[in-house]
Amino acid sequence: MEKFYKEVCLLSQQYIKDPQKTVEDVLKETIGKIGENIQIKRFARFQIGE
């Protein structure tokens, strides 16, 4: 189950520019830097192939 959620849930996915971090980690870092509350409201998912 944990592997499934890491692939499907946006905040649990690896950040594309730094695979050592998750999207949630990058979001928290950005909130800390700029001091504003950031929320992800919408995103688009692209898949290559088929």
Side-chain angles (χ1 to χ4, degrees), residues 1-2 4 6 8 11-12 14-15 17-19 22-23 28 30-31 33 35-37 39 42-43 46 48:
M1 269 319 249
E2 187 175 325
F4 172 76
K6 283 186 178 183
V8 175
L11 295 179
S12 299
Q14 293 178 338
Y15 185 59
K17 292 183 179 181
D18 186 1
T22 63
V23 175
K28 287 180 181 178
T30 306
I31 290 171
K33 285 181 186 176
E36 291 289 329
N37 189 15
Q39 296 178 351
R42 202 181 315 177
F43 68 96
F46 297 94
I48 299 174

